[in-house]
Amino acid sequence: MSESGAAADGESKREFVVPEKLIKSPTDMELWRMSECYYDLLGFISSMSVALQGTRNSQEVSVPPIVEKLMKVLDRLEQLAIETPPIDQPARFGNVAFKSWFQKMQSESMQLIGDVLPDTLKEATKELNVYFVDCFGNPTRIDYGTGHELAFIMFLMCLFKIGAFERKDEVAVGLKVNQWNKTVKKTYFKYLFHHHSQLFQKYIILARKLQVTYRMEPAGSHGVWSLDDFQFVPFIWGSAQLAVNSPIEPAQFVEEKSIAKYKKELMFVSCIDYIQQVKTGHFAEHSNQLWSISAVPQWSKICTGLIKMYQKEVLSKFPVIQHVYFGSILTLKTVKPGTMLPNPRLGMIPRQHAAAPAPVPAPPKFPGGDGM
């Protein structure tokens, strides 16, 4: 049974629901590839890539209250891991203490997410919570993969689409549902996506801590759908950071001096540093795909190439997409005929036109309809 959530500016109420898995067989994959959710997802990843060009992890920016609250949520989950140490067991991998951590996280998640949202969006908690709980790994198999990473990306998308950012968070322009590339100004992306980048990096750090602490297995065929056994998107957004004013060439990201100097500043290099910490042997042997990337001459080409690889090796795989949830925010509704898939233009910072400050708009509005 759905419950009503108030839409912005007095629009008809939105019916938030508990999301469900709707991709039941490989024949359903065409529904997925033509869905609004699929196009929104690629639009989000592409727009983030454009906005992150030339940024650095340590940039000083004021953090909006909702992002600050979400970071504290991740801090709380890390504390739960500290309180739930791995147990002694015969099996080398898949420490069963992760199941206890997962149960604790799940028991607190509704309250944690509800406390983050403003009063006008409390009803969205049950829909957001499903994505949030799903983004830390599987408690039965004690594994983690790109499907769990995808759940967190979708969690971030939901926050955008329901207008969870308040006016006082300096939102420069409104965001229309399902139109990531056409209706959002670059200044808005630059501001808000940087905060989401900070939040995403904090999530990745927590995910790594869980993977190491509980010796989690890579989901799928030993990480076949990821670049470092577990993750993929940090490499996309990390290469986007380097598409403009990069201090290193692609061939240098495996060099020890580059890693030591930039691991705290650049998402891509921090990923390489993590691989070097958890794996032994020559990089070309244990991370062949990444090694081959170092031969590509331009970071912008690496980023666009990784997005295409992500489409093919993650978003087109039924074993991953069968676990995706759809509700009233992210839907399987078919896009309009002729809709083009987003394609980021990288290698230059979009021009900013000087103008008087625009009035801060209302949060994004939902269209009418009964949702999913």
Side-chain angles (χ1 to χ4, degrees), residues 36-54:
E36 289 182 346
C37 182
Y38 182 79
Y39 277 64
D40 280 353
L41 174 62
L42 287 173
F44 181 77
I45 290 173
S46 297
S47 297
M48 175 77 98
S49 297
V50 172
L52 287 177
Q53 293 181 106

Side-chain angles (χ1 to χ4, degrees), residues 211-247:
Q211 292 156 19
V212 172
T213 299
Y214 300 114
R215 302 302 302 272
M216 300 177 74
E217 294 266 30
S221 301
H222 300 288
V224 67
W225 298 308
S226 61
L227 288 173
D228 67 353
D229 287 347
F230 296 106
Q231 316 294 161
F232 201 117
V233 175
F235 294 94
I236 296 175
W237 289 341
S239 58
Q241 273 188 310
L242 296 163
V244 171
N245 299 328
S246 173

Side-chain angles (χ1 to χ4, degrees), residues 326-346:
F326 302 91
S328 71
I329 306 170
L330 303 178
T331 80
L332 262 185
K333 181 180 177 181
T334 302
V335 295
K336 295 179 180 179
T339 303
M340 300 293 291
L341 273 174
N343 186 25
R345 298 182 62 183
L346 302 171

